[in-house]
Amino acid sequence: VALGPRFLVEGRLREYHEYLTLSSDRLSVLHAVAKGIFAGPNQMKAAGIYMEASVRAPYYVAVSAADLRQKWASLTGERIIPGQQQISGALRALSGVEQVRRGDLRVYRIPDRYLTLACDRLGLPTWILESNMAACAKAAQEDKVGAHRKK
């Protein structure tokens, strides 16, 4: 048994534990992000949701809390819009999420497994989410390669 940095004996993070971390705030933010991905590339960009270039899973989704807040009502159909701090806090609380810069935007880089878990929990079709993420990631990869060739 190896000693861990936090506990005498540490367990492994499993899907079950990640499922438990989806509190109502986190779940509602991930729901809005998933709805943006379902809506397609134009809605995604308007809502500050960007796929990171990747050939295959796992995919990462970069989310701007400010832009997501602006498009919240149109994505979710809810009248009550959470504050930017509430959205940022919900994203920061997820394990493996990091805040990075994307040009002059500050975004949160989210592993796709959280979106899949949220869709599963909310009863949304995960296959649509996964196919849209794969298509957007492939397009981002092609844009990245094309921009590199132009230089």
Side-chain angles (χ1 to χ4, degrees):
V1 176
L3 296 178
R6 290 184 53 194
F7 302 105
L8 185 59
V9 178
E10 291 199 13
R12 287 192 210 132
L13 189 63
R14 301 204 190 278
E15 187 175 317
Y16 170 75
H17 298 106
E18 291 175 340
Y19 190 78
L20 290 175
T21 64
L22 297 181
S23 68
S24 61
D25 282 350
R26 296 174 201 150
L27 194 58
S28 65
V29 170
L30 291 171
H31 176 244
V33 173
K35 288 287 212 168
I37 294 170
F38 285 163
N42 293 335
Q43 252 326 68
M44 282 176 61
K45 190 173 181 180
I49 303 166
Y50 307 94
M51 289 301 303
E52 295 205 352
S54 178
V55 179
R56 61 184 161 286
Y59 302 111
Y60 288 89
V61 180
V63 178
S64 164
D67 292 342
L68 183 62
R69 183 180 187 280
Q70 286 181 338
K71 292 293 182 182
W72 188 273
S74 64
L75 290 174
T76 64
E78 298 173 6
R79 284 190 191 186
I80 299 172
I81 300 170
Q84 186 175 334
Q85 293 287 8
Q86 190 176 359
I87 294 170
S88 296
L91 293 174
R92 265 193 316 265
L94 296 169
S95 176
V97 172
E98 59 185 354
Q99 190 176 26
V100 295
R101 282 195 141 335
R102 183 181 169 93
D104 45 339
L105 270 181
R106 201 167 274 176
V107 296
Y108 293 92
R109 191 171 178 258
I110 307 167
D112 67 335
R113 68 180 183 268
Y114 287 117
L115 293 166
T116 304
L117 283 171
C119 284
D120 189 45
R121 192 161 173 185
L122 293 165
L124 299 173
T126 56
W127 67 272
I128 295 174
L129 177 77
E130 290 163 357
S131 65
N132 281 4
M133 285 193 297
C136 290
K138 183 179 177 188
Q141 181 69 25
E142 289 170 0
D143 288 347
K144 194 176 179 181
V145 170
H148 180 68
R149 285 187 184 146
K150 289 179 185 177
K151 288 184 180 178

